[in-house]
Amino acid sequence: MTDMNDHAYDDLAMEKAVYAEFGVELEVDAVIGRHFPISRNAEATLFLTKKKQLFLYIPNTSKLVLADVRKIVSHIGLKAELFLPPKGQPQYFDEIGTQKFREVFPGRSNITAQDIAFYRTLAPYSPALVLVQEVKDGTIYQFDSDSMGGWRQLKKFAYRRIKTS
């Protein structure tokens, strides 16, 4: 009984943290993977909302950049639809990318989105919230330093988000 209460409190705390950090109001319907390892020093939670959207939440446990989160999402076996920026900063990744680009090329003006594409991936992204488009091959993986390739199966789960108008 207490384990179920702990999970309910954990879900509520995560909902509040997501709202505080990303400004997204959501209600956890089902947790697919709770606090599973995604690297040597980071964990993630994969959950479905009441609107049947699948999210991956990586709390502020280690210093990650957008490129790290992209790689982790791929290793877990997910296809990302959207990497949500921090609350109140809708252009966060572009702003950081432009800033880092200017550090490398201080004399350049007329910077395009193509110019900053790589530098966007260097934006600090911890905590991270990812809207998942689909689970590739219906399998979710977790980090395991002892297994071949560093990843092992966490569970089977089929999900594909179909866009409607």
Side-chain angles (χ1 to χ4, degrees), residues 54-111:
L54 187 64
F55 282 95
L56 178 70
Y57 176 65
I58 303 171
N60 194 4
T61 54
S62 63
K63 295 184 179 192
L64 298 172
V65 296
L66 180 59
D68 296 333
V69 175
R70 281 183 169 174
K71 197 176 292 185
I72 287 167
V73 165
S74 178
H75 282 300
I76 291 173
L78 307 175
K79 184 176 178 186
E81 181 173 329
L82 180 64
F83 294 91
L84 283 91
K87 183 178 183 177
Q89 299 175 315
Q91 301 300 318
Y92 174 74
F93 299 115
D94 290 336
E95 289 168 3
I96 298 291
T98 302
Q99 176 187 340
K100 296 215 180 267
F101 183 84
R102 285 200 172 121
E103 288 172 10
V104 177
F105 303 103
R108 289 272 312 267
S109 59
N110 196 15
I111 300 169

Side-chain angles (χ1 to χ4, degrees), residues 112-156:
T112 65
Q114 197 173 13
D115 291 334
I116 65 168
F118 167 72
Y119 296 94
R120 292 177 85 238
T121 65
L122 303 177
Y125 196 39
S126 183
L129 183 64
V130 181
L131 176 60
V132 177
Q133 184 174 344
E134 72 176 279
V135 177
K136 298 183 268 186
D137 304 326
T139 306
I140 299 167
Y141 296 90
Q142 71 178 21
F143 179 76
D144 183 1
S145 60
D146 295 336
S147 70
M148 190 92 146
W151 294 85
R152 69 176 167 89
Q153 181 177 326
L154 173 67
K155 74 170 32 171
K156 292 277 192 187

